[in-house]
């Protein structure tokens, strides 16, 4: 269970950050010694690696140096506290939650805002982090609630950007992207109200829903508004759903209730099958490597189940079925004679 901070603590963190006008006061808050500042100026700040996207292409991750990452995490803890008190109600992704929060921000509560809708339009911001430049960030930090002086703002921009934009991999990029999208949220809410729609944003995913058929020019106006605020619409990912369609928001199926959909449970079933195959292999070929592979898959399954438990409701029966299958794997191994080569998963 996640240990959430209290509202009092978050408010104190926010006030500490906003009290820092000068660079000296900010570096004092962050407990930065001259030696650490000099080290940050000398080290190679980022290394790079790739992870696969769903479409088969590669996503480049810019991983900060350990010292820089530690500093960015510290900065993030304060900026998240600031954003908690200034965020637009439509913003649900990358947000801090507090104890006993009446309106927690999760992928589930985001989708929940659109239950019962008959029509849905999803839009996507292309290269969300990378479109937020050093200059755009500087402009954001010049506006309320921030009261930093010029040197302080420049230092924050320098320490949180790479190659003149927010890096994909820095702990500060999510909250800074939310701050940069604040005016976009205001404009999109006004647009949604004009068309009698409900608007929400989860990071770079924008959703508009309505009980009635909205005018054809909503899509055009959404694209135009995204561009007017310095972002890039991903035209290939704009999707509209009509009456009777199965509607998907950030991977969740939305109707009268929010559910996970068949694809989620198919993926979970595949992992259970992989776990069973590897457990069988472990019986005949005991190995630390194979054992670790089995443990990794178990962790992934547990993660899938934990998320399903958060959804609850209609998913509870499926959760029980998967848990029962996991409990039966050891019993099944006793009568499992041999493992065919084509039953061994290739991706461990």
């Amino acid at each position: 269970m996640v240990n959430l901070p209290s509202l009092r603590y978050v408010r104190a963190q926010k006030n500490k950050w906003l009290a820092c006008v000068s660079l000296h006061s900010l570096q004092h808050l962050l407990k930065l010694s001259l030696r650490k500042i000099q080290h940050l100026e000398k080290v190679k700040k980022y290394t790079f690696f790739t992870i696969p996207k769903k479409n088969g292409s590669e996503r480049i991750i810019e991983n900060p140096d350990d010292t820089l990452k530690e500093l960015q995490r510290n900065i993030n803890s304060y900026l998240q506290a600031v954003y908690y008190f200034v965020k637009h109600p439509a913003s649900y992704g990358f947000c801090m939650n507090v104890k006993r929060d009446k309106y927690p921000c999760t992928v589930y509560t985001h989708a929940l805002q659109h239950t019962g809708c008959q029509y849905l339009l999803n839009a996507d911001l292309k290269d969300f982090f990378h479109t937020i430049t050093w200059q755009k960030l500087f402009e954001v930090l010049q506006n309320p609630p921030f009261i930093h002086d010029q040197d302080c703002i420049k230092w924050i921009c320098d320490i949180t950007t790479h190659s003149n934009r927010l890096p994909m991999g820095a702990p500060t990029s999510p909250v800074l992207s939310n701050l940069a999208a604040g005016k976009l949220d205001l404009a999109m809410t006004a647009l949604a109200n004009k068309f009698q729609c409900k608007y929400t944003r989860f990071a770079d995913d924008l959703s508009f829903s309505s009980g009635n058929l909205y005018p054809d020019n909503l899509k055009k106006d959404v694209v135009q508004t995204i561009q007017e605020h310095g972002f890039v619409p991903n035209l290939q990912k704009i999707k509209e759903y009509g009456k009777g369609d199965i509607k998907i928001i950030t991977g969740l199926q939305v109707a009268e209730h929010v559910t996970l959909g068949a694809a989620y449970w198919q993926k979970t079933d595949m992992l259970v099958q992989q776990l069973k195959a590897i457990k069988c292999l472990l019986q005949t070929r005991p190995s630390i490597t194979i054992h670790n592979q089995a443990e990794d898959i178990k962790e992934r399954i547990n993660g899938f189940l934990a998320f399903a438990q958060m959804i609850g409701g209609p998913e509870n029966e499926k959760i029980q079925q998967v848990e029962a299958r996991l409990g039966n794997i050891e019993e099944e191994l006793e009568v499992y004679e041999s493992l065919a080569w084509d039953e061994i998963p290739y991706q461990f």
Side-chain angles (χ1 to χ4, degrees), residues 97 110 144 147 179 184 190 210 245 270 300 305:
N97 292 311
H110 171 250
I147 56 170
L179 287 164
L184 176 68
S210 176
D245 292 340
M270 180 190 73
R300 290 184 64 190
L305 293 178

Side-chain angles (χ1 to χ4, degrees), residues 258-310:
V258 175
T259 57
L260 291 167
Y264 188 91
W265 292 111
Q266 287 169 2
K267 193 176 293 185
T268 307
D269 181 68
M270 180 190 73
L271 289 172
V272 174
Q273 293 289 349
Q274 286 184 348
L275 179 63
K276 179 179 177 180
I278 291 176
K279 285 280 191 179
C280 291
L281 183 62
L282 194 59
Q283 278 197 332
T284 57
R285 289 171 52 192
S287 159
I288 291 295
T289 301
I290 298 175
H291 172 78
N292 289 341
Q293 290 168 356
E295 291 302 308
D296 287 345
I297 291 177
K298 281 174 65 176
E299 283 188 21
R300 290 184 64 190
I301 294 170
N302 288 335
F304 272 63
L305 293 178
F307 184 74
Q309 285 169 349
M310 182 181 72

Side-chain angles (χ1 to χ4, degrees), residues 121-125 188 204-208 222-223 226 233-234 237-239:
L121 184 150
N122 287 334
D124 180 87
L125 304 177
M188 287 301 188
D204 56 356
D205 292 315
L206 285 58
S207 294
F208 299 80
V222 167
V223 169
I226 290 172
N234 192 333
K237 288 191 175 182
I238 294 178
K239 188 168 179 61

Side-chain angles (χ1 to χ4, degrees), residues 16-17 19-38 40-41 71 74-75 78 148-149 151-156 158-159:
K16 287 177 184 177
W17 182 270
C20 295
V21 177
S22 68
L23 178 56
H24 175 75
S25 61
L26 185 62
Q27 291 177 340
H28 178 74
L29 174 67
L30 297 170
K31 297 180 173 60
L32 282 177
S33 64
L34 179 61
R35 182 179 178 182
K36 184 171 281 190
I37 292 171
Q38 290 172 338
L40 286 167
E41 293 171 350
L71 172 59
N74 198 7
I75 292 172
Y78 288 104
H148 309 307
D149 64 22
D151 288 340
C152 188
I153 296 174
K154 287 178 182 176
W155 183 82
I156 296 170
D158 287 343
I159 216 73

Side-chain angles (χ1 to χ4, degrees), residues 214-234:
Y214 47 75
D216 292 338
N217 59 327
L218 172 62
K219 179 179 174 180
K220 177 179 70 69
D221 286 359
V222 167
V223 169
Q224 183 178 333
T225 304
I226 290 172
Q227 293 169 333
E228 287 173 349
H229 286 79
F231 296 100
V232 179
N234 192 333

Side-chain angles (χ1 to χ4, degrees), residues 45-59:
K45 293 186 177 180
Y46 290 86
T47 55
F48 307 92
F49 62 91
T50 62
I51 58 173
K53 291 184 179 180
K54 289 181 180 178
N55 62 9
S57 63
E58 297 285 325
R59 185 188 303 279

